[in-house]
Structures are given as structure tokens and as C-alpha cells.
């Protein structure tokens, strides 16, 4: 089925280790997003991309980097993991909104549960 | 700036009774409004949206939501709750004129719905 695929689904890191979360979508969406979900905090935007080769900071970008070398992929990197980055990470994508409200919102991946010890 | 408030962390309702999950929003212009549902250990799934037109919007699984511009609200409703409706519900908003070619949704903190048999 078409959609957004996130890998890995689970990961345990030690403080200071690095890792990359991969998000892949096969819907030819222009926009992609990385969110983190924490209890009582809802979803917070980390970084987003409006097209291949472009990225921008969201609400909570510190400690993360992203890259969008191909339109279908959006990578989230943690260079030096910290316990505060223990969270569930969601990737989402959406098509370009050309101003007529035809956008149907985001399509989400199933999430990556990351624990930093 | 745009924001969403979901005033209830949890809503409990008996199976067969009507349910309401509340959402209020703030945007500088006109809103696009969305409801998403998250089942345990899953990503968020689109339920319904308001873009323009009829204030009563019908969505998936028998849910509907009413857009009230004067009260800046977009409450989610269902006439008869099912145990299988138990999940985490997120309201989201975007200002129609957010500009910059991006399409960023702002999410509420979520409301946990528990339907009691």
C-alpha cells in the first residue's frame, strides 16, 4: 500500500551515540515533516522540507539535523543522543497546497520509538 | 501565529452514548481544520477536515465535526460511541494564508477517549 514508511521501528541508544531515522514516501509528496510525540506535549515539529534539497527548522530543532537528498526520502539525524531525546518520532508528508484547499492533510508513518539511556 | 487547544486530556463515555471531543483554535486569518486519530502504537490517521462550505463536516467511522467561526471551535462528535473508538484524538489547524509555500499544521496536545462497555 502507498504511504509513509519509517525505519527503524524501535531503537535503544546510549547517551552520546548517533543514529539516523529514515522516512520514505511513495506518494510523490512535495512536503515532508518530522515530529516528536511526548506525553502531555502533543506533536511538536522538529524540521520540515518543502522540496528536494531544502529543509527548515520547526519548533524544536536543537540536537537534530535533517537531509532531503531525494524527493521521496527525509532523514532525521541525532549526532549525539541525549536522554531528553527519548520520544516517539513520526514522519509525515503532504502534497503541495496550491491555494485551493484541496490538500487532504498529512499522511503519517507508524513511528519510531527511541529510548536514550 | 496559529494555535490549537484541546481543553480535556481525557473523555470517558459509555458505549452507545453520544461523544464530543472539544477543540478551539486561533489563527490570524481563515482556518483549515483537521481531526486525526491515533490508536495505540500506531501513527496518526486522518478523520475529517474543514476547508470551506458547510459547517458540519462528516468523516470516517461515523464521526462528524462542526465548525463554529464565532466561537472559534471545531468539536468532534459521534452520535453513538463504540468501544473501538477508544483512542487518542488530535485536532489540528492551519491558517489559510500561512504563506512561504509550506503547509504546516499545528496540533493540539490530544484528548484520550475511553469508551466504557
Amino acid at each position: 500500500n502507498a504511504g509513509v514508511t519509517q525505519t527503524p521501528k524501535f531503537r535503544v541508544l546510549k547517551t552520546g551515540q548517533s543514529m539516523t531515522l529514515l522516512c520514505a514516501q511513495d506518494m510523490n509528496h512535495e512536503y515532508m515533516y518530522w515530529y516528536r510525540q511526548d506525553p502531555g506535549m502533543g506533536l511538536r515539529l522538529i524540521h520540515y522540507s518543502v522540496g528536494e534539497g531544502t529543509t527548515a527548522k520547526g519548533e524544536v530543532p536543537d540536537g537534530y539535523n535533517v537531509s532531503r537528498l531525494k524527493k521521496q526520502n527525509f532523514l532525521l539525524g541525532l549526532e549525539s543522543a541525549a536522554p531528553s531525546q527519548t520520544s516517539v518520532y513520526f514522519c509525515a508528508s503532504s502534497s503541495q497546497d496550491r491555494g485551493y484547499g484541496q490538500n487532504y492533510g498529512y499522511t503519517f508513518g507508524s513511528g519510531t520509538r527511541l529510548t536514550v539511556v | 501565529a496559529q494555535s490549537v487547544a484541546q481543553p480535556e486530556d481525557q473523555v470517558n463515555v459509555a458505549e452507545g452514548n453520544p461523544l464530543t471531543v472539544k477543540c478551539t483554535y486561533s489563527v490570524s486569518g481563515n482556518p483549515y481544520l483537521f481531526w486525526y486519530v491515533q490508536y495505540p502504537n500506531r501513527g496518526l490517521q486522518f478523520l475529517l477536515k474543514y476547508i470551506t462550505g458547510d459547517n458540519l463536516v462528516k468523516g470516517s467511522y461515523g464521526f462528524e465535526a462542526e465548525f463554529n467561526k464565532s466561537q472559534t471551535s471545531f468539536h468532534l462528535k459521534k452520535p453513538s460511541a463504540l468501544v473501538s473508538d477508544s483512542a487518542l484524538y488530535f485536532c489540528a489547524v492551519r491558517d489559510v494564508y500561512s504563506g512561504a509555500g509550506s503547509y504546516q499544521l499545528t496540533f493540539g496536545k490530544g484528548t484520550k477517549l475511553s469508551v466504557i462497555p
Side-chain angles (χ1 to χ4, degrees), chain A residues 27-73:
Chain A
M27 297 169 287
N28 202 34
H29 283 169
E30 290 86 357
Y31 302 156
M32 297 187 74
Y33 315 83
W34 276 106
Y35 284 87
R36 60 178 289 173
Q37 183 181 25
D38 303 290
M41 304 292 288
L43 290 168
R44 292 183 291 172
L45 182 65
I46 305 171
H47 285 280
Y48 66 96
S49 168
V50 300
E52 182 178 320
T54 70
T55 63
K57 294 180 179 180
E59 180 185 357
V60 288
D62 293 342
Y64 305 95
N65 57 75
V66 288
S67 64
R68 184 127 180 244
L69 299 180
K70 294 182 179 181
K71 185 178 183 179
Q72 63 268 33
N73 295 337

Side-chain angles (χ1 to χ4, degrees), chain B residues 10-15 19 21 37-42 61 63 78 80-89 111-117:
Chain B
Q10 178 149 356
V11 171
N12 298 322
V13 63
E15 186 176 23
L19 69 87
V21 182
V37 59
Q38 184 182 29
Y39 298 102
N41 300 315
R42 303 289 295 275
Y61 313 120
F63 284 93
K78 188 174 182 181
S80 178
L82 301 173
V83 172
S84 57
D85 293 330
S86 298
L88 189 58
Y89 290 81
T111 298
K112 182 179 180 181
L113 173 67
S114 294
V115 181
I116 304 162

Side-chain angles (χ1 to χ4, degrees), chain B residues 71-114:
Chain B
Q71 297 185 5
T72 62
S73 66
F74 190 56
H75 301 330
L76 181 70
K77 300 181 180 183
K78 188 174 182 181
S80 178
L82 301 173
V83 172
S84 57
D85 293 330
S86 298
L88 189 58
Y89 290 81
F90 289 94
C91 182
V93 70
R94 177 209 159 190
D95 192 323
V96 172
Y97 299 109
S98 62
S102 68
Y103 178 45
Q104 292 181 42
L105 294 181
T106 298
F107 288 84
K109 295 188 186 307
T111 298
K112 182 179 180 181
L113 173 67
S114 294

Side-chain angles (χ1 to χ4, degrees), chain B residues 6-89:
Chain B
Q6 293 182 240
E8 302 154 317
D9 291 335
Q10 178 149 356
V11 171
N12 298 322
V13 63
E15 186 176 23
N17 283 2
L19 69 87
T20 298
V21 182
K22 296 180 180 178
C23 171
T24 58
Y25 67 89
S26 175
V27 295
S28 56
N30 293 317
Y32 290 161
L33 292 155
F34 300 81
W35 276 102
Y36 288 83
V37 59
Q38 184 182 29
Y39 298 102
N41 300 315
R42 303 289 295 275
L44 278 70
Q45 298 177 29
F46 171 80
L47 268 183
L48 52 79
K49 66 178 174 71
Y50 171 83
I51 301 298
T52 187
D54 195 347
N55 289 342
L56 184 63
V57 177
K58 294 186 183 297
S60 306
Y61 313 120
F63 284 93
E64 58 189 27
E66 186 168 10
F67 171 62
N68 187 317
K69 188 172 184 177
S70 63
Q71 297 185 5
T72 62
S73 66
F74 190 56
H75 301 330
L76 181 70
K77 300 181 180 183
K78 188 174 182 181
S80 178
L82 301 173
V83 172
S84 57
D85 293 330
S86 298
L88 189 58
Y89 290 81

